Amino acid sequence: MTKPRTLFDKIWDAHIVDRQADGTCVIYIDRHLVHEVTSPQAFEGLRMTGRKVRRPEATIAVPDHNVPTTDRSKPIAEPESRLQLETLAKNVAEFGVTYYDINDIRQGIVHIIGPEQGHTQPGMTIVCGDSHTATHGAFGSLAFGIGTSEVEHVLATQTLIQQPAKNMLIQIDGELGPGVTAKDIILAVIGKIGTAGGTGHVVEFAGSTIRGLSMEGRMTVCNMTIEAGARAGLVAPDETTFEYMKGRPHAPKGAGWEQAVKFWKTLPSDPGAQYDKTVVLDASEIVPHVTWGTSPEDVLPITGKVPNPADIQDEQKRAGMTRSLQYMGLTAGTPLTEVPVQRVFIGSCTNGRIEDLRAAAAVAKGRKVAAGVNAMVVPGSGLVKHQAEEEGLDQIFLAAGFEWREPGCSMCLAMNPDKLEPGERCASTSNRNFEGRQGKGGRTHLVSPAMAAAAAVTGRLTDVRDLA
Amino acid sequence: MDKFTTLNGVAAPLPMINIDTDKIIPAVYLKTIQRKGLKKGLFYELGHKPDGSENPDFVLNQPAYSQSTILVTGDNFGCGSSREHAPWALLDFGIRCIIAPNFADIFFNNCFKNGMLPIKLPQEVVDQLMEDAKKGANAKLSIDLEAQTITRPDGGVVHFDVDPFRKHCLLNGLDEIGLTMQKGAEISSFEDKNRLSQPWLWS
């Protein structure tokens, strides 16, 4: 009998092209997603060495990081952003890569449109020059972020040189309470294992709570696995996965679909498969979470208070917390629900999907954005935007005083004009609260879409359960 | 890629944990289509005052450390984004070796693609090297990749681990893409089998 294998082991083994004595492998890459920020130097490298893209049809490019979220009929004002977009358009034309341009309704954040178009499928290896590639793991595909040198390597060879990762299991069982979402699950996980807790590992999320999540929720969980330091997150494919995928433009069709589903059903981890590390969480104990500091591990239940550096023994950690609180302009002991916000951002590859917009709209409906607060909603793709408009969500947001924008990465990383001013405080559905992430001097509190909408209407960090 | 064999140089101490890639180089400096010239964004926030003037307290702004080629720093260095602009910016400043208790995976991997050597050592050893680094420009560290050793200013020697394949590529300055392209027949053979076993991936 063969040794029981994990989902990760199965995908890894099936993609080995070559293995060296020290364990280093050449791994085949099924799909390569490309955006404008981390690809120009890779295409330039190909040009300089006279190399071609090995599989242009398996390479999918879209501009997302730099795109403006306002009127797109005008040229992009900032010359450097414009140059990156023009460079991408030129490169995809020269190398024959699949491309969704800025005026295509299918354009959007690369990690939103991959699944939306059916490019993302179980059992695949998927890479992108972007750490949030982990998102695609929600389908049971091994998906991870790479640097630009590796982007060039994949373009030229459709493979990567990799060391195998360790297996980690995060088991979450039980029912989520009202107002508690996939975002709160992953924030609670990061709070528990820390921002380096997953380093060197691929994390498989399992248990009844994960099974109960929609694909959107699973994507939110896998998306932020990188914030726990893991190489990738995974959820085993099941009927929820197949249901989401069926009929999408690039999903298998007809007999191919039946054949694919049969294969996908062999992917889940075997009973008795061994993990190097196991973490267990009880879903019923998870409450809405919010970050207070400048690392995603600086996270607490919304019912908590700003922590006190004096309580920390380790000198480097104490210094880190002091610096964080100073940057964030927070005083130890303040209840988190008393922290005022000036900005709210709903969007990103973490929470820019239709279900996220529905959750935010449910809170915004019949309420008004508080005086002195600017709140913006940035759908993750043109198709998410279209669907939200079909459902009337845009009207709910606009009536409540939110801005309704065009799709892109936007204020998640502030490479386009959407950014915080120094000292401005934002409740954000994005994934990183690093110093300066949303704009120089900006202060980010990571929350779920419902919690962000709640902060928008009250003007402070708010427990969404109190708004019922 | 430049070879990495030995390095004898000034080590800058940066005793902070969880230094993320946004801190190494903010996103606003990623709007380039070049690999060069990124040192202007290196540690921008740490290196500047709110008014945009240079912060003289920041280690790399101090004369003793302006020629640093080694960085000694805290746990989980390079966490966050996959941006290779982070190692590019460090390299553009002149740093070719980073010593820390641990690194984020993508950053760690990106270093090797640029002729840079990230070294993982236990916290107590990093603490000792941090003390060496704090002594300034007269206290150099000497790194020998072939021997996998760091020689401290007092002559003491620290041994470090490195993956054999990565070491081989660094010592010889090898182009990994060229190496993989030599396996073109294996890649084609993999693709041929995959086309038969999972045809839906090829339609």
Side-chain angles (χ1 to χ4, degrees):
Chain A
M1 206 180 107
T2 52
K3 187 170 163 271
R5 293 185 298 165
T6 64
L7 168 58
F8 165 69
D9 296 337
K10 292 181 190 185
I11 301 175
W12 178 265
D13 291 349
H15 287 84
I16 296 175
V17 173
D18 185 61
R19 191 201 311 256
Q20 301 185 29
D22 75 343
T24 305
C25 291
V26 174
I27 290 293
Y28 196 77
I29 302 301
D30 295 311
R31 294 292 180 269
H32 185 191
L33 308 173
V34 171
H35 65 80
E36 79 277 20
V37 178
T38 57
S39 68
Q41 297 88 346
F43 282 112
E44 184 59 22
L46 292 185
R47 213 172 275 125
M48 282 162 56
T49 49
R51 289 167 180 154
K52 293 186 165 64
V53 174
R54 186 176 175 96
R55 285 190 65 192
E57 81 288 358
T59 311
I60 298 119
V62 68
D64 58 3
H65 284 57
N66 272 286
V67 301
T69 56
T70 48
D71 184 4
R72 290 192 177 159
S73 59
K74 296 172 194 143
I76 293 169
E78 199 174 325
E80 287 178 307
S81 292
R82 192 167 65 233
L83 178 62
Q84 276 195 333
L85 291 174
E86 288 169 355
T87 303
L88 182 67
K90 186 173 98 142
N91 286 333
V92 298
E94 182 180 337
F95 291 93
V97 166
T98 313
Y99 183 51
Y100 301 101
D101 83 20
I102 191 170
N103 294 313
D104 191 317
I105 191 171
R106 298 168 297 176
Q107 180 269 342
I109 305 172
V110 65
H111 308 308
I112 304 262
I113 73 165
E116 198 170 72
Q117 291 301 316
H119 292 297
T120 303
Q121 298 172 20
M124 279 181 168
T125 48
I126 301 176
V127 296
C128 175
D130 191 288
S131 59
H132 291 108
T133 309
T135 312
H136 308 266
F139 292 78
S141 57
L142 178 61
F144 52 95
I146 55 177
T148 299
S149 295
E150 290 188 312
V151 169
E152 186 179 339
H153 196 283
V154 178
L155 289 173
T157 68
Q158 206 60 35
T159 68
L160 272 179
I161 300 175
Q162 291 278 301
Q163 274 75 22
K166 291 180 187 161
N167 279 289
M168 184 189 291
L169 176 68
I170 299 185
Q171 174 84 23
I172 311 171
D173 288 292
E175 210 158 305
L176 291 172
V180 185
T181 68
K183 183 65 164 283
D184 302 301
I185 295 177
I186 190 62
L187 287 173
V189 166
I190 298 163
K192 189 175 171 102
I193 71 173
T195 183
T199 304
H201 292 76
V202 166
V203 173
E204 180 177 342
F205 293 94
S208 63
T209 317
I210 300 297
R211 289 286 131 229
L213 291 177
S214 65
M215 288 315 295
E216 285 85 351
R218 294 177 189 182
M219 284 189 257
T220 300
V221 170
C222 287
N223 171 278
M224 285 188 72
T225 319
I226 182 70
E227 290 357 300
R231 288 202 200 167
L234 284 172
V235 175
D238 59 10
E239 291 303 325
T240 305
T241 320
F242 310 148
E243 183 63 30
Y244 176 97
M245 290 181 60
K246 196 162 191 179
R248 294 197 178 258
H250 292 272
K253 306 271 187 308
W257 171 261
E258 300 304 326
Q259 199 183 356
V261 170
K262 199 174 156 203
F263 169 70
W264 296 338
K265 286 182 174 171
T266 67
L267 290 169
S269 297
D270 298 326
Q274 296 294 306
Y275 294 86
D276 300 283
K277 215 166 168 179
T278 298
V279 175
V280 176
L281 270 83
D282 178 350
S284 67
E285 289 176 6
I286 301 174
V287 299
H289 273 58
V290 56
T291 61
W292 52 264
T294 55
S295 164
E297 70 180 9
D298 299 342
V299 67
L300 282 170
I302 183 67
T303 48
K305 290 177 178 172
V306 175
N308 192 340
D311 298 335
I312 307 293
Q313 298 295 320
D314 182 271
E315 194 186 331
Q316 265 189 13
K317 285 186 181 151
R318 187 168 60 242
M321 184 185 275
T322 305
R323 182 186 162 88
S324 279
L325 293 184
Q326 190 181 11
Y327 179 86
M328 292 297 291
L330 293 173
T331 308
T334 309
L336 290 167
T337 50
E338 288 178 13
V339 175
V341 301
Q342 296 82 45
R343 302 286 295 273
V344 171
F345 172 63
I346 297 172
S348 85
C349 59
T350 310
N351 281 130
R353 285 169 287 267
I354 189 68
E355 185 178 280
D356 302 312
L357 303 192
R358 287 182 192 137
V363 174
K365 191 169 189 176
R367 296 191 169 98
K368 289 278 179 202
V369 171
V373 175
N374 168 280
M376 67 165 82
V377 185
V378 182
S381 73
L383 288 172
V384 168
K385 179 169 186 266
H386 177 73
Q387 187 176 351
E389 287 170 352
E390 291 281 301
E391 295 179 17
L393 304 184
D394 59 325
Q395 293 308 315
I396 294 174
F397 285 123
L398 289 167
F402 288 78
E403 293 175 8
W404 180 246
R405 300 278 191 128
E406 297 297 325
C409 298
S410 180
M411 209 161 70
C412 174
L413 85 169
M415 279 191 78
N416 76 347
D418 309 339
K419 52 188 72 170
L420 299 180
E421 294 299 317
E424 271 189 330
R425 188 183 298 284
C426 179
S428 177
T429 67
S430 54
N431 40 57
R432 291 192 173 130
N433 50 346
F434 297 154
E435 287 181 30
R437 172 81 179 181
Q438 294 193 289
K440 192 175 157 57
R443 295 161 171 169
T444 304
H445 295 274
L446 301 177
V447 288
S448 73
M451 289 280 285
V457 300
T458 62
R460 54 180 172 78
L461 297 178
T462 297
D463 189 338
V464 67
R465 297 172 300 179
D466 295 341
L467 286 187
Chain B
M1 188 176 87
D2 290 341
K3 287 182 188 179
F4 188 110
T5 50
T6 58
L7 179 65
N8 179 35
V10 177
L14 190 56
M16 292 170 72
I17 56 169
N18 297 333
I19 293 184
D20 56 70
T21 51
D22 280 76
K23 204 171 261 161
I24 299 172
I25 183 164
V28 68
Y29 295 98
L30 312 188
K31 295 187 195 185
T32 173
I33 58 170
Q34 315 276 335
R35 285 171 198 249
K36 303 269 181 206
L38 287 163
K39 78 176 168 198
K40 66 174 188 285
L42 180 64
F43 295 122
Y44 188 88
E45 292 302 322
L46 291 170
H48 292 82
K49 294 180 178 173
D51 66 6
S53 64
E54 199 171 277
N55 172 11
D57 295 335
F58 180 61
V59 63
L60 296 181
N61 291 341
Q62 294 167 13
Y65 295 104
S66 65
Q67 302 298 314
S68 299
T69 54
I70 301 163
L71 190 68
V72 184
T73 187
D75 199 11
N76 197 29
F77 187 80
C79 59
S81 132
S82 64
R83 61 188 68 163
E84 199 161 319
H85 308 70
W88 291 340
L90 288 159
L91 191 61
D92 198 39
F93 180 89
I95 289 175
R96 294 199 68 200
C97 175
I98 304 146
I99 301 169
N102 208 352
F103 296 85
D105 289 328
I106 305 175
F107 176 85
F108 186 74
N109 203 23
N110 283 341
C111 285
F112 289 99
K113 315 292 180 192
N114 292 282
M116 298 166 71
L117 176 64
I119 299 176
K120 292 181 201 178
L121 287 168
Q123 182 71 55
E124 58 275 18
V125 181
V126 174
D127 289 345
Q128 291 169 1
L129 298 174
M130 189 74 77
E131 289 309 311
D132 290 341
K134 285 177 182 169
K135 290 173 186 154
N138 293 323
K140 293 185 175 177
L141 295 179
S142 187
I143 293 155
D144 183 335
L145 177 57
E146 179 64 51
Q148 296 180 216
T149 56
I150 303 170
T151 306
R152 299 176 57 193
D154 66 1
V157 172
V158 171
H159 189 269
F160 63 87
D161 289 331
V162 58
D163 292 319
F165 176 73
R166 284 168 162 155
K167 177 180 174 179
H168 173 71
C169 289
L170 276 184
L171 284 173
N172 297 289
L174 296 179
D175 164 24
E176 284 190 14
I177 298 176
L179 284 182
T180 302
M181 289 186 96
Q182 289 171 12
K183 299 188 195 297
E186 284 94 331
I187 299 171
S188 296
S189 152
F190 180 95
E191 288 177 336
D192 291 342
K193 281 185 216 143
N194 189 247
R195 224 180 253 120
L196 291 174
S197 64
Q198 296 183 48
W200 63 89
L201 293 180
W202 294 83
S203 56

